[in-house]
Amino acid sequence: MICFSFLLLMLLNADQSRALDKFIAATYEHAVILPENTLTPVTEEKALELMNRNIDILEKAIKSAATQGAHIIVTPEDGIYGWIFTRETIYPYLEDIPDPEVHWIPCSDPERFGRAPVQTRLSCIAKNNSIYVVANIGDKKPCNISTVGCPEDGHYHYNTAVVYDSDGKLVARYHKYNLFLGETQFNVPPEPEMVTFETPFGKFGIFICFDILFYKPAAALVVDHQVDTVLFPTAWMNVLPHLTAIEFHSAWAMGMGVNLLSSNTHNTSMRMTGSGIFSPETLGPYNYNMDTEHGHLILSELSAHPRNSSTFFIHNWSLYANSIAQYSPGPNVFRGHLFSDEFTFTELTEPQGNYTLCQKNLCCHLTYTGMEKITDEVYVLGVFDGLHEIEGQYYLQICTLLKCLNTDIKSCGEPVETASTKFKSFSLSGNFSTSFVFPEVLLNKVHLATGMFQVLPDGRLTSGDSISQKPLLSATLFGRWYDKDPVAHDDTIFPDSKGCP
Ligand SMILES: *[C@@H]1O[C@H](CO)[C@@H](O)[C@H](O)[C@H]1NC(C)=O
Ligand SMILES: *[C@@H]1O[C@H](CO)[C@@H](O)[C@H](O)[C@H]1NC(C)=O
Ligand SMILES: *[C@@H]1O[C@H](CO)[C@@H](O)[C@H](O)[C@H]1NC(C)=O
Ligand SMILES: *[C@@H]1O[C@H](CO)[C@@H](O)[C@H](O)[C@H]1NC(C)=O
Ligand SMILES: *[C@@H]1O[C@H](CO)[C@@H](O)[C@H](O)[C@H]1NC(C)=O
Ligand SMILES: *[C@@H]1O[C@H](CO)[C@@H](O)[C@H](O)[C@H]1NC(C)=O
Ligand SMILES: *[C@@H]1O[C@H](CO)[C@@H](O)[C@H](O)[C@H]1NC(C)=O
């Protein structure tokens, strides 16, 4: 009898479809081998050769992750062929990727939809290692050039994320909607695609890079489709002070209340580094490395349903700010530019203080103590309420405490990577008009402030005791007021610039 129930238990344990409360996620930051020549078209064979060299490296990382028990691994945007192409030169790298509803395991049936060596290999790697594999490849779809919208070369090209399950089956295909500047080799799909799929370890959604700044599909996957975990291949160029990869992506996971598996391309001369496994309550593990050109594998255990946690709550971002009286803006208020946005700043002149600073509809409140000010460092409170118009258009509401580049107040808002000044405590809040606010705290040399701050249900970003141990670069409530975004897709030809943002 004992033996029988023991056997039953073993059988239950072996059942793969059994729901899991926790799972192990992996992301791989990959230093992509770029094609030598992207100005003249190469043959399909040449293109495949280059892609296979990248997949060889990804395969090693995937095998290693699987050996360590990972259920799913994300690899980066542009991770198989790079980012500099024209429409003509990307073409030999593309494959026709079918809709997952065809129930296809490319590894078992490689010829079913024509030539598909890359899809077949990725599917086999997933199947052979019994792990979900997320990759970014290019999809081509023929169209009739006499129909409206069909490009002159007779194909739509899509920047596409694919997911193969642990049997090698294609379970998700997502065409990137918010293309970044210079991604002229690809087309925008007619509608934003809301791609989700169920697994024994929660409901997943997927989008790519620049998408994360917009409502559709990124925020909508959480709001309308209640995904637990987001898969996020990216080729993200870091922009200080508010848009470095690890900083903004961890803040998005926290603000949206989901897990985010972020896998960045690695190329330091393009400022591309920063991948991580983020949850609403933890900032990592993460990788940020501007010193070498190596790839990096990260694994972490996550809750399959982060919103079921007893400590999970929905923030009301303006509750505290609406409940208090205003402080003074201080004696030294001035205007300055941060990533081309015109902020209102006020200089923090005392070791402790209380300030309120407003711009348009947004008032930010800062209370801080124990600023051990180093003489050649200047800190400001900043506020911005307006449309960001450089490298994409999106409406922002931002409250930020940050270090200026140097003692010239004109440098406030410029990128800065190092600081020596420590704070004993701070608390930042604002009367935001949006419920989409992403809390960011960045320390000296671009480190995340893991365990050193919290966000309260009333919308305050407050420091913890340990904040006094590390010099502060910035603390920010980064709000996105999606309703104020310009409506139509802007077809302006952007200057040549690759990667996002
Ligand atoms: C997968 O395993 C099969 C044999 O089980 C082998 O023939 C094939 O080369 C493997 N493919 C990959 C991509 O590892
Ligand atoms: C393309 O569309 C035109 C006009 O609708 C039609 O005459 C032509 O047959 C179509 N070509 C193909 C290859 O379907
Ligand atoms: C990084 O990207 C740039 C621009 O695409 C390229 O010229 C450079 O060779 C890349 N660096 C490495 C190490 O691949
Ligand atoms: C998590 O919560 C959802 C409802 O939000 C519920 O359907 C599900 O059963 C819960 N899952 C676990 C593992 O507790
Ligand atoms: C947040 O709190 C304010 C009171 O300051 C209230 O008016 C508002 O409805 C609350 N918002 C949400 C989303 O609960
Ligand atoms: C700031 O305000 C708090 C109350 O919110 C008060 O206890 C503190 O003394 C004030 N600090 C300064 C420097 O005014
Ligand atoms: C924020 O506070 C300021 C000052 O009290 C007020 O003028 C503004 O309307 C408030 N904004 C919102 C959205 O309530």
Side-chain angles (χ1 to χ4, degrees):
M1 200 56 199
I2 290 165
C3 286
F4 175 69
S5 47
F6 181 63
L7 187 68
L8 198 66
L9 205 65
M10 297 251 298
L11 286 171
L12 283 172
N13 270 326
D15 179 0
Q16 296 244 328
S17 64
R18 194 176 57 115
L20 301 173
D21 289 339
K22 292 188 176 296
F23 69 106
I24 298 176
T27 70
Y28 183 64
E29 182 163 320
H30 174 46
V32 188
I33 303 168
L34 300 170
E36 271 168 34
N37 187 349
T38 52
L39 297 175
T40 47
V42 297
T43 60
E44 281 182 344
E45 288 65 37
K46 261 277 196 241
L48 183 58
E49 203 180 290
L50 183 276
M51 292 193 281
N52 273 327
R53 286 173 65 202
N54 279 301
I55 300 173
D56 288 345
I57 299 169
L58 299 180
E59 182 175 9
K60 284 202 188 90
I62 295 165
K63 274 188 190 302
S64 167
T67 311
Q68 294 174 67
H71 295 84
I72 187 164
I73 180 164
V74 186
T75 65
E77 182 187 28
D78 301 335
I80 291 177
Y81 44 65
W83 48 83
I84 301 172
F85 292 100
T86 62
R87 285 189 66 83
E88 199 186 3
T89 59
I90 190 74
Y91 189 74
Y93 294 84
L94 308 178
E95 293 182 4
D96 197 330
I97 306 168
D99 189 310
E101 72 185 10
V102 299
H103 294 287
W104 183 35
I105 301 180
C107 190
S108 316
D109 192 1
E111 308 291 329
R112 184 168 159 204
F113 298 99
R115 187 180 180 274
V118 173
Q119 294 173 83
T120 302
R121 191 163 172 211
L122 292 169
S123 157
C124 289
I125 293 172
K127 186 179 173 191
N128 281 17
N129 295 289
S130 280
I131 183 172
Y132 281 70
V133 170
V134 183
N136 177 241
I137 53 181
D139 190 7
K140 59 177 178 192
K141 289 281 173 281
C143 53
N144 185 336
I145 51 169
S146 43
T147 21
V148 180
C150 179
E152 279 172 18
D153 48 29
H155 303 93
Y156 293 108
H157 298 173
Y158 299 117
N159 178 337
T160 309
V162 286
V163 184
Y164 299 97
D165 72 8
S166 49
D167 297 323
K169 184 168 123 183
L170 177 69
V171 291
R173 177 193 68 178
Y174 167 71
H175 296 133
K176 185 178 181 183
Y177 186 65
N178 298 283
L179 294 178
F180 194 59
L181 327 182
E183 263 191 285
T184 49
Q185 70 271 38
F186 292 118
N187 297 105
V188 175
E191 296 292 330
E193 300 170 357
M194 308 301 295
V195 175
T196 65
F197 60 97
E198 296 280 355
T199 73
F201 39 96
K203 184 172 181 180
F204 283 70
I206 188 163
F207 54 78
I208 303 171
C209 204
F210 200 37
D211 282 330
I212 198 170
L213 276 157
F214 300 91
Y215 188 75
K216 281 187 177 172
L221 279 172
V222 181
V223 176
D224 303 331
H225 298 267
Q226 281 88 41
V227 298
D228 297 297
T229 301
V230 167
L231 304 168
F232 183 57
T234 186
W236 191 278
M237 295 190 306
N238 291 318
V239 180
L240 282 162
H242 297 149
L243 287 172
T244 60
I246 50 171
E247 174 191 31
F248 184 60
H249 304 155
S250 63
W252 198 88
M254 190 178 274
M256 297 303 298
V258 291
N259 299 323
L260 182 78
L261 314 187
S262 158
S263 169
N264 202 354
T265 302
H266 188 87
N267 180 309
T268 58
S269 64
M270 297 284 288
R271 303 191 317 280
M272 289 172 176
T273 180
S275 307
I277 298 177
F278 306 117
S279 81
E281 289 166 3
T282 57
L283 305 170
Y286 66 88
N287 175 58
Y288 176 90
N289 172 8
M290 284 294 282
D291 301 326
T292 72
E293 294 299 334
H294 298 149
H296 189 83
L297 177 66
I298 301 170
L299 281 95
S300 185
E301 188 174 69
L302 286 173
S303 164
H305 305 280
R307 279 184 298 271
N308 289 25
S309 150
S310 59
T311 49
F312 180 79
F313 56 83
I314 306 274
H315 309 96
N316 182 332
W317 293 104
S318 55
L319 195 56
Y320 179 77
N322 281 334
S323 74
I324 61 165
Q326 294 200 25
Y327 302 116
S328 125
N332 191 5
V333 174
F334 60 99
R335 293 253 171 173
H337 287 90
L338 186 158
F339 198 12
S340 296
D341 298 327
E342 195 179 350
F343 274 64
T344 304
F345 289 122
T346 184
E347 186 180 346
L348 311 186
T349 50
E350 301 299 323
Q352 68 275 319
N354 296 313
Y355 291 94
T356 296
L357 193 63
C358 305
Q359 188 181 95
K360 292 190 192 161
N361 257 316
L362 176 65
C363 288
C364 303
H365 309 285
L366 172 69
T367 292
Y368 68 98
T369 65
M371 180 170 66
E372 282 177 25
K373 205 163 132 161
I374 308 295
T375 44
D376 65 350
E377 298 196 337
V378 171
Y379 281 76
V380 290
L381 168 65
V383 55
F384 178 70
D385 182 357
L387 182 66
H388 176 84
E389 295 188 281
I390 299 299
E391 300 182 354
Q393 294 194 318
Y394 39 91
Y395 199 98
L396 298 173
Q397 283 199 316
I398 294 177
C399 292
T400 187
L401 158 63
L402 57 82
K403 189 202 153 196
C404 303
L405 176 60
N406 53 46
T407 50
D408 181 355
I409 59 164
K410 287 203 196 72
S411 76
C412 298
E414 284 181 31
V416 52
E417 289 179 21
T418 57
S420 330
T421 299
K422 296 168 185 168
F423 286 75
K424 190 152 183 278
S425 73
F426 60 79
S427 169
L428 186 66
S429 61
N431 65 347
F432 292 93
S433 303
T434 174
S435 47
F436 299 94
V437 177
F438 309 116
E440 309 180 322
V441 179
L442 211 53
L443 304 174
N444 180 34
K445 296 186 178 162
V446 195
H447 285 291
L448 295 181
T450 307
M452 296 185 185
F453 73 96
Q454 60 206 349
V455 179
L456 305 181
D458 64 11
R460 268 178 294 173
L461 192 176
T462 61
S463 61
D465 294 340
S466 51
I467 199 74
S468 59
Q469 291 162 17
K470 293 276 166 67
L472 184 74
L473 278 181
S474 61
T476 306
L477 290 166
F478 187 100
R480 274 286 286 116
W481 194 352
Y482 300 116
D483 293 345
K484 299 263 272 188
D485 285 354
V487 181
H489 240 283
D490 192 350
D491 287 333
T492 326
I493 305 300
F494 289 106
D496 191 50
S497 168
K498 308 283 178 181
C500 78

